Amino acid sequence: MRVAGQPLRPSDEEMTASVASPVKNSPPAKRSKLAIFASVKMTVTLLILIAATVLVGAWCPQESQVGFQKVIEMFGEQTAVKLSELGITDIFHSVWFLVLIGLLTINMVACSVQRVFPKIRTLKQPMPFFTNREISKLPVNRELSLPVSSELGLEKLSTKLRQSGYKVVENGHSLSAEWGKFGRLAPTITHIGLLSLLAGVTISSWTGFSGFKPTPLASAMSFGSSEHSKLWIGKLPEWRVRVDGTRREDYPTGEPKQWYSDLTVIDSQGHELKKQQISVNNPLSYDGVDIYQSSWGLDQIVLQFNGHERRLDLRQMGKVYAAFLPLEEGMILIFSVRNQVQPVRVFAKTPQWEAPRLLSEIPLGKSVRLGSVNLEYKELIPITGLQYKSDPGYGVTLVAFCFIMAGVMLAAVPHRQVWAHVRTEAEPANEETTAEQDLCILSVGGRSVKAKTAFEKSLYSILTRLEQEFAATGAKA
Amino acid sequence: MSELQLAMTNTAGLTSVMSFWVFVGSNISKRWRELMLKVALAVMVVGFVALTVAIVTRGIDAGRFPLANLYESLLWFAWATMGGYLLMQKLYSIQHLGWLASLTAATMFLYGSWLPASQHEITPLVPALVSYWRQIHVPPLICSYAMFFISGLSGLVQLWQSGRLRALAFAVGALVFAISAIGLGTFTSLDTFLLQGLFVGGSIAGLSAAWLSLNKISSGRVNQERAELYDEVGYRGIMIGFPLLTIGIITGGLWANHAWGNYWSWDPKESMALVTWLSYAAYIHLRIHRECSAEKLSLVTVAGMILTLLTYLGFNSLGFGGLHSYGRFK
Ligand code: HEM
């Protein structure tokens, strides 16, 4: 199956069918305008254009991930606006990129159906047998003469080839052998994988949803604010997830090591459906939705001033979290906490002071007296960053990944084919051999489209070993 | 660092330099050539074994998989370059590539040893990296980069053997620009845009000039058989590297999905790996119908090597951000 207009070279299976076929010079057939969509030239062009586009996207910070502020930081206001107008700051959602992906999809479907998949059929065709004249036209070929009968010569070659992993078929004075035939499945398997990947991604994008919900301790998260694609036909779950506990584990140096959250799935009446502790790399799965630990922080500190409870929002400042409470005359109280175990440090700051002054440290659940105020550190409310996702195309995508990996690995296997033919010739008597002796003339040839030189080396080494074996036995006889 | 680990790392570094010089020296005298090539190869095998031991002991010392920062990944890269060369050497007789492979490994050692000491120390991991996925995801990537390097170097030798000396000079020029930009970016604090310009401008200019001068053939220099050999070596290198890159990217996606619920987030390094992947997919399809001459394909492998360099080291040194960068350490 070749699309007309391609340069004509004998391809694998054409060679198999009629070896040493003269290159056919059929006139370029009329082809429909659509054929361009099935051309490898288009594939290469599209792959390069997409690669270049993605490269630009890797270089320029993307608004959809880091926000426009980051783009301004990097390039300055004016350039950033220009880049934004050109679509470069959100290149993966640009029309240009989507059109390229669309064209690649069409190209891939057309090519796979028209050219890649039909090749499977040629796998079933048995290899033909060749005469020595045909063998002498193969890209790699050699003639040996061995001092044995032709049957034995061919049999020995067959054994040697088998030992090297070839599948050998013999037929009278001829032999054909093949190595790495399954390598020819590579394009089919890879392209089935690529098409399945597209299918899986499409299913997920049309019916899946995802989102991020920072959820404070003891609250429950629902899926109301989830994101999904424009063409969406999915459905959001009714159940919710309650955070029963959440904590951070540190290395001795104070660097975070792991975050944990104890989650309970509850239905709309509050019945508990499932309980699980999650951590980074260890999500909870329920009803097709996965819930991941993706970030962690301290949300609020609860204090009591002479019996009056106040909740203050915490802000992350480097390794600590701080809450600010303005008092009269410009005085600010600062509460700084590092984690759920260490005490809160209370500072005061006035405009006159250069640096805040440490007033006290209060362990959790304890209180201190500051002037006329009894200050109690009641509670620290952590907040856990929960990422969730429903991905109905997951199974298909996973299978696609397996196919793609298997396919590209198979493509590394070079297919090798060997043919041999024997005939007998009488060697005239000379000084050493007193009597006339039969010689086995073995024509061996073959090819490996992907790796000719390596094939040549390996085949010649097989033949050399064969010759040496006979030289040795010949010497003995 | 334990003494064994240090000794083995140093042995590996030293042998890579030694095998380089023996490979180079083998050209001096015809009589000693075969012997010297054997010696060079033996030295490289010693280096490979030493580096294997060094990496394993580092893993044992650290109590974790020893591939967590730039320094460790450079060790892996050197290991994969030596291993990849030795593998190719089993399939082909590729003496003309030996010195380039040794040089690459030696350069990686040197680059690694110039990094600040904090990189050499064994440091604990941030939460995002504590996962068994790390050892599934990263080694194939590093090994694929090394195979792409071997393939690109083979492309250079192919240009030489096919008498495309002018194109070769331009291609080497492109590489020099790219490598200098990365070196300057790592060890100086030059302006990021200047470095990016140097990298991109230099490699595009060099490769375009090389492309345009492919017709200029120094006919006395052509060795068709070897040119064919190195063309094939370049191709095989990619056919080994490409599955590794594919596996690396896919397992990365699976990891991200496992950890964050998303296969793909267009993080700069992810995107760059995709660019490399797409480019080599283009190479493979270019090759299917052999419409392209071997020399053009060689230049594509060199371009691929520059992209690989950008993916692997460009991010730290040329100021691309993102989740995956090993962090700047100036
Ligand atoms: C999107 C458009 C694509 C088209 C139209 C296309 C087309 C083709 C064609 C016609 C073949 C040759 C089959 C043969 O002659 O036996 C092929 C092989 C192949 N394609 Fe694609 N392809 C596309 C994308 C991709 C991508 C993105 C990859 C990335 C993995 C890929 C990987 C392969 C592999 C590994 C082979 C086998 C090569 C070999 O056996 O040496 N293809 N493709």
Side-chain angles (χ1 to χ4, degrees), chain A residues 37-40 42-43 46-47 103-112 115-116 119 183-184 186-188 190-191 194 404 407-408 410-412 450, chain B residues 235 239 242 246 277-278 281 284-285 288-289:
Chain A
F37 285 113
S39 78
V40 176
M42 172 136 168
T43 312
L46 286 171
L47 287 174
L103 286 175
L104 190 76
T105 308
I106 296 172
N107 182 220
M108 188 147 63
V109 172
C111 225
S112 299
R115 315 177 49 178
V116 181
K119 288 203 172 175
R184 296 179 64 192
T188 308
T190 314
H191 286 87
L194 291 165
I404 294 172
V408 293
L410 282 177
K450 282 186 187 170
Chain B
Y235 175 56
M239 291 318 273
F242 191 69
T246 310
W277 190 77
L278 290 167
I284 290 173
H285 291 91
I288 285 172
H289 289 284

Side-chain angles (χ1 to χ4, degrees), chain B residues 112-133:
Chain B
S113 66
W114 279 343
L115 291 176
S118 65
Q119 284 278 321
H120 298 201
E121 275 150 25
I122 294 168
T123 46
L125 292 167
V126 294
L129 292 181
V130 184
S131 166
Y132 60 89
W133 278 105

